[in-house]
C-alpha cells in the first residue's frame, strides 16, 4: 500500500515535466571545454572582427561552420547593411612645452586630421561637465582634453557616467568649434593601451578628430597642465568612412517541443574592436551561451526553442541587435538573455518575469547559489543586443559577470585570450546551463509579452 | 667614578670618526621627496631619452640644472660620440593562414625591411638552442620565430638565460641566412607592450630586421603553429642608423674631507629606451642615488668624495660606462655602486670589500636590517655602467632591488611614472643613505684596488 501512495503523489510532477536534470547538467558544465574552444578559436583563427569588414565576414563563416559542427539546427547568417568606419594612422606628440610622443587611439566615427597632422593649443577640462559649461570662446580652434578618470565597479555602473566624455564629448566639443578632442581613456587600467569605442556626432555636426589617450599618457598631460597652461599637441589621425558594407547576425537553434511556449533568445556579439582580438568582448560571450545551449541540446529536446544569436556590428551602434529586432519582432519570444560583460565569474542574477513565474526565479536562485551567485534586487535589463526585444516587452534574465577588471581591458589592444580565466569561463557555462535548463523547460508561463 | 670609566671607554670611538648619524639619516630618508621629484620631473618634462638623440641632450640639460639646484658641486657633462640607431615604422601581420595584425617593436640595431614590407614563410623554434642547432637550410630566406617565455625571478637571474634570444638570436639567424627574426619579448607580462632592447651583429654580418612580439602576440603565433606549419608573416620595419652623434655622462660631486680615502662612485643611467618614458629604467635609479647623496651632503662633509654619475647611452651598449672608464680609470676610486633595476624595494645587499673592511659590511648589515634588507652570500658585481671600473679592481656594493615585476615593464611602452611606488622609492633612498653614510665615512680602508 505504501508504495502505491508514493506513486500516486508523484504523478502531478511527472505531468508537468521530465525529471529535472538541472543540477546534473550544471555540475557537468563545470568541466566544459566548448566555451574555451570557441573563445580560443575565434581569437586565434580570426582575431579582430571589426564591424562591416572582411574580418567580420570571415568570423561569420567560421561561426557557421563551428555551430553546424556542434550540432545546432537552422544555422544561418541574417545579413544587413551598414556604414563602415576604419582606423588609419594614429600619432600624437606634445610639441610644447615638453616634446614627447603620446599613445592614443581614434574613437569610432572620429573625423580625420590632414595627413600631415594638426597642431593646436590644448584646453584642459577636468570633467565632461566642465567642457559642457565652457563658453565657445574657450574651445574654438583648440584641441580639447578631458581628463577625468573612471574608477572600477563590480557591476560596471561607473561606465555610464564616465563614458559621457566618449559618447558625446566629441559632439559637444565640435559644436563649440574645437579643432579636435582627446579624452582620457574610459578605462581603469594603467597601461599604454588606449581604450577606443564609438562616439557620435549629431546630424549636421561635422566630425572632428577624436581620440582616447592611454591612461599613463593622460596622467602625463595632467602633470604638464599642473605646471603650465600653454600646451600644444600635434595629432595625426587618418580614419576613413569607406561606405556601406555588409554585416550580419549568425543564428542557430535548439528546437523545442512546444512552439507555443515561446523562444528563449540568448547570445552575445561576434564583432569586436580592431585593436585587440575581442576575447572578453565578446568571444567569451558567444562562447559561453553556445556551450550552455549545446549542453541543453545534448541532454534531449527542451520544451522551448533556444535561439542562439551571435550578433554583428554591436560595437558601432548595436546594429545587429536592431536588425534582429526589425526582422524578428513578431516572433514569439518568451525571454531573452545576453552575455557581453567579459569572462569573469557571474556573481549575481536578476530577472524580469511575469508574476506567475515567481517559482522559476526561486528555482534559479536555488540552482545558482552553489556557484556563488546571489539574487539581485533590481530588474533584469538584458543587454545591448537583446535590448530592443526586451524593450518590446519580452521577459529578461541577467547573469551578471564581475566587472571589477572588465574596464582594464575593454576596447584595448589588451583584449586577448590570455586574459580569459578558463575556470571563470566554466563557472559562466555552468550558470548559463542551469539557467537554460530551468527556463527552457519551465512548465509555467514565463512570457511577459504574451501572458 | 663610574661616569669616568664610561667616558674613557668611549674615547677610541670618537678618535675614529664623528658621531655616526647613519640611523638618523636613514630614518629621515623614509620621508624623502627628492627621488620622486627627480623621477617625476624627468618622465614628465623630458619623457623618453633615446641615446644620442636630442631628447637625451635635453635630459642632460635638465639634469645639470637640477643637480646644481640641489647643491651638488662640480656639476658637468662629459661628452662622448656614438653611432645612433633610431626606430622607424613598425607593422606586422599574419598573412597566412589567419590574416591579422601583430604588435611588435624593432630591437636596437635591427636592420630594415623594404618600405613596402617583407613577406616570407615563418620557421618556429621553441628555444634559442633549437635555432642554434638548426641547419642553415631550415632557416634560409625565412622569418625565424623564437618563442620561449621568460619567467620572473626576484634577483632577475632569468634575464641572462632567456635574453640570449634577443642578445644574439638575430646574429645567429642572420648567419644562417634568415630574412628576418621575430622573438617573443624578453619579458614576464601579458600585455600588448613589446619589449625592445639591443641586439648585436658580428662584424661582417649584415643586420637583418629583428623585432620582439608582445607576449599575447607570441602566444597567438604559437597557437597557430600548433595547428599548421605553413605560416606567413609580413613585416614592415624601417629603423635607420643616422650616424655619429653626441651623448654624455652628467657628473656631480659631494666633496669629501680626505682625498686619499678614495672616491665613492654611484649612479644610474640617464638615457632610456624610446617606447616608454624610462621611469623604472632608469629615472628612478638616478633619482635614488642623487637623493641619498644629497642627504649625506646636507648632513656635513663626508670623509670620502661621493661622485654621482648619470650615465648616457647605457641601453645601447653601456657606452657611458665605457666612456667614464676611459676617462677616469686612473682616478682613486674606493668603491662603486649602481641603481639600475627598477624602483621596487631593496631586499638584499652584497659586498666586494677587502678583508680588513669586514666591520664595514657588519655595520651595513645592522643599518639595513630594519629596512627589510638581508645580507646575501654572493660577491657584489656593481652593474652595467660601473662594471668596467669594478672589473678594474675597485670595491663594490650591491643594493639589490626586488626584480619580480621588473621584467613586466622593462624596455616597454609601459615603463611610465605610474609604475613607481613612492613608498618603495623611499625605502631605496633610505637604504642608499645608510650605505653612503657608512661607506663614505668608514675609517677603515675600503679600497680593493689600493690596499
Amino acid at each position: 500500500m505504501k508504495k502505491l501512495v508514493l506513486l500516486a503523489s508523484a504523478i502531478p510532477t511527472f505531468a508537468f515535466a521530465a525529471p529535472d536534470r538541472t543540477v546534473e547538467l550544471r555540475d557537468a558544465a563545470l568541466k566544459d571545454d566548448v566555451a574555451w574552444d570557441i573563445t580560443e578559436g575565434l581569437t586565434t583563427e580570426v582575431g579582430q572582427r571589426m564591424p562591416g569588414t572582411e574580418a567580420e565576414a570571415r568570423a561569420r563563416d567560421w561561426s557557421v561552420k563551428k555551430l553546424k559542427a556542434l550540432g545546432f539546427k537552422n544555422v544561418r547568417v541574417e545579413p544587413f547593411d551598414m556604414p563602415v568606419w576604419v582606423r588609419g594612422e594614429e600619432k600624437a606628440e606634445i610639441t610644447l612645452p615638453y616634446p614627447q610622443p603620446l599613445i592614443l587611439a581614434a574613437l569610432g566615427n572620429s573625423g580625420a586630421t590632414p595627413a600631415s597632422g594638426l597642431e593646436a593649443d590644448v584646453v584642459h577640462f577636468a570633467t565632461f561637465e566642465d567642457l559642457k559649461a565652457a563658453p565657445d570662446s574657450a574651445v574654438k580652434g583648440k584641441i580639447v582634453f578631458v581628463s577625468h578618470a573612471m574608477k572600477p565597479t563590480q557591476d560596471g555602473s561607473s561606465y555610464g557616467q564616465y563614458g559621457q566624455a566618449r559618447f558625446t564629448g566629441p559632439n559637444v566639443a565640435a559644436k563649440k568649434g574645437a579643432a579636435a578632442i582627446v579624452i582620457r581613456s574610459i578605462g581603469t587600467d594603467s597601461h599604454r593601451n588606449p581604450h577606443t569605442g564609438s562616439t557620435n556626432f549629431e546630424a549636421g555636426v561635422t566630425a572632428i578628430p577624436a581620440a582616447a589617450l592611454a591612461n599613463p599618457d593622460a596622467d602625463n598631460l595632467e602633470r604638464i597642465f599642473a605646471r603650465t597652461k600653454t600646451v600644444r599637441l600635434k595629432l595625426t589621425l587618418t580614419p576613413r568612412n569607406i561606405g556601406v558594407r555588409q554585416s550580419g547576425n549568425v543564428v542557430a537553434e535548439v528546437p523545442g517541443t512546444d512552439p507555443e511556449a515561446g523562444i528563449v533568445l540568448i547570445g552575445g556579439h561576434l564583432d569586436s574592436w580592431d585593436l585587440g582580438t575581442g576575447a572578453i568582448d565578446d568571444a567569451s560571450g558567444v562562447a559561453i551561451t553556445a556551450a550552455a545551449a549545446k549542453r541543453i541540446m545534448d541532454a534531449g529536446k527542451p520544451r522551448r526553442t533556444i535561439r542562439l544569436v551571435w550578433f554583428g556590428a554591436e560595437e558601432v551602434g548595436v546594429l545587429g541587435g536592431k536588425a534582429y529586432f526589425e526582422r524578428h519582432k513578431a516572433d514569439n519570444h518568451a525571454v531573452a538573455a545576453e552575455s557581453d560583460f567579459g569572462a569573469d565569474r557571474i556573481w549575481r542574477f536578476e530577472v524580469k518575469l511575469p508574476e506567475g513565474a515567481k517559482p522559476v526565479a526561486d528555482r534559479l536562485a536555488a540552482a545558482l547559489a552553489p556557484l556563488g551567485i546571489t539574487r539581485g534586487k533590481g530588474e533584469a535589463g538584458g543587454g545591448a543586443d537583446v535590448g530592443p526585444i526586451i524593450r518590446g516587452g519580452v521577459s529578461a534574465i541577467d547573469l551578471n559577470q564581475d566587472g571589477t577588471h572588465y574596464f582594464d581591458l575593454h576596447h584595448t589592444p589588451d583584449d586577448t585570450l590570455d586574459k580569459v580565466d578558463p575556470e571563470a569561463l566554466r563557472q559562466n557555462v555552468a550558470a548559463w546551463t542551469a539557467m537554460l535548463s530551468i527556463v527552457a523547460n519551465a512548465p509555467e508561463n514565463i512570457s511577459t509579452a504574451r501572458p
Side-chain angles (χ1 to χ4, degrees), chain A:
Chain A
M1 285 295 287
K2 209 180 170 191
K3 260 187 175 173
L4 273 176
V5 170
L6 276 172
L7 203 61
S9 72
I11 286 170
T13 306
F14 279 93
F16 269 128
D20 189 347
R21 295 180 57 192
T22 297
V23 169
E24 169 200 345
L25 293 172
R26 178 196 69 197
D27 292 347
L30 289 171
K31 297 191 176 124
D32 180 77
D33 285 326
V34 173
W36 179 263
D37 177 63
I38 293 170
T39 309
E40 196 265 4
L42 267 175
T43 53
T44 305
E45 297 180 10
V46 184
Q48 66 87 16
R49 303 174 294 282
M50 186 67 181
T53 67
E54 61 79 32
E56 198 199 29
R58 276 189 283 119
R60 287 193 293 279
D61 293 345
W62 187 97
S63 302
V64 165
K65 205 168 145 189
K66 173 63 74 176
L67 291 165
K68 283 182 176 170
L70 288 170
F72 287 99
K73 305 298 180 203
N74 308 325
V75 178
R76 62 195 186 268
V77 174
E78 295 180 350
F80 56 87
D81 288 341
M82 59 172 286
V84 175
W85 174 96
V86 292
R87 193 175 304 281
E89 190 185 2
E90 22 206 39
K91 283 198 306 195
E93 53 181 314
I94 301 169
T95 55
L96 270 177
Y98 308 124
Q100 57 187 297
L102 297 175
I103 295 180
L104 47 54
L107 302 177
N109 297 321
S110 166
T113 66
S116 58
L118 176 162
E119 186 174 347
D121 288 336
V122 184
V123 53
H124 176 210
F125 298 103
T127 72
F128 174 59
E129 296 303 319
D130 294 333
L131 166 62
K132 278 204 296 188
D136 293 4
S137 59
V139 169
K140 201 164 176 64
K142 294 183 178 172
I143 298 173
V144 165
F145 169 45
V146 183
S147 68
H148 62 195
M150 178 182 176
K151 298 290 175 199
T153 47
Q154 189 174 11
D155 65 358
S157 53
S158 53
Y159 183 53
Q161 181 184 333
Y162 288 104
Q164 290 306 320
R166 193 193 87 212
F167 309 146
T168 64
N171 184 60
V172 170
K175 284 166 71 178
K176 290 180 192 285
I181 179 171
V182 293
I183 62 167
R184 177 188 283 276
S185 279
I186 310 301
T188 51
D189 66 306
S190 193
H191 294 291
R192 299 295 289 288
N193 287 310
H195 296 240
T196 188
S198 279
T199 192
N200 287 293
F201 296 93
E202 286 171 36
V205 176
T206 302
I208 57 174
L213 289 165
N215 271 315
D217 299 80
D219 292 342
N220 202 352
L221 207 46
E222 278 198 292
R223 291 196 302 269
I224 292 171
F225 268 102
R227 288 160 159 86
T228 172
K229 298 300 162 213
T230 307
V231 178
R232 284 177 72 80
L233 277 185
K234 183 176 176 189
L235 302 177
T236 309
L237 298 166
T238 60
R240 291 174 302 139
N241 293 299
I242 59 171
V244 172
R245 303 287 163 94
Q246 199 171 70
S247 181
N249 296 324
V250 179
V251 183
E253 288 175 346
V254 179
T257 57
D258 181 357
E260 295 306 308
I263 294 163
V264 178
L265 173 67
I266 61 168
H269 66 87
L270 183 59
D271 65 303
S272 80
W273 278 103
D274 51 348
L275 300 176
T277 62
I280 67 151
D281 188 14
D282 185 31
S284 53
V286 301
I288 290 161
T289 51
K294 177 174 167 57
R295 286 179 176 275
I296 302 301
M297 175 172 68
D298 292 349
K301 272 200 171 184
R303 182 180 173 211
R304 293 179 180 81
T305 291
I306 299 170
R307 182 180 288 169
L308 174 71
V309 184
W310 291 2
F311 294 91
E314 189 271 346
E315 294 292 5
V316 293
V318 196
L319 303 183
K322 291 171 184 167
Y324 179 87
F325 178 75
E326 287 308 317
R327 186 188 285 252
H328 293 286
K329 59 191 166 193
D331 291 1
N332 179 16
H333 291 100
V335 62
E338 182 172 333
S339 177
D340 182 19
F341 199 51
D344 277 346
R345 57 179 287 279
I346 296 168
W347 65 285
R348 186 178 69 178
F349 81 98
E350 291 183 328
V351 303
K352 184 187 110 182
L353 288 170
E355 267 304 304
K358 194 179 172 305
V360 177
D362 292 342
R363 292 204 296 281
L364 283 173
L368 296 174
L371 299 174
I373 300 168
T374 59
R375 193 196 303 216
K377 293 189 166 76
E379 182 174 80
D385 280 307
V386 302
I389 287 287
I390 290 168
R391 286 190 294 276
V394 170
S395 299
I397 294 171
D398 290 350
L399 298 177
N400 298 127
Q401 291 159 306
D402 190 322
T404 310
H405 301 292
Y406 182 65
F407 290 102
D408 291 352
L409 305 170
H410 182 246
H411 295 185
T412 73
D414 237 353
D415 180 3
T416 49
L417 182 65
D418 49 292
K419 311 309 183 304
V420 177
D421 172 357
E423 287 310 310
L425 199 68
R426 290 189 177 106
Q427 188 258 16
N428 272 265
V429 177
W432 276 83
T433 300
M435 184 275 278
L436 288 178
S437 173
I438 290 165
V439 166
N441 291 309
E444 298 93 338
N445 171 48
I446 57 171
S447 174
T448 314
R450 302 186 180 195

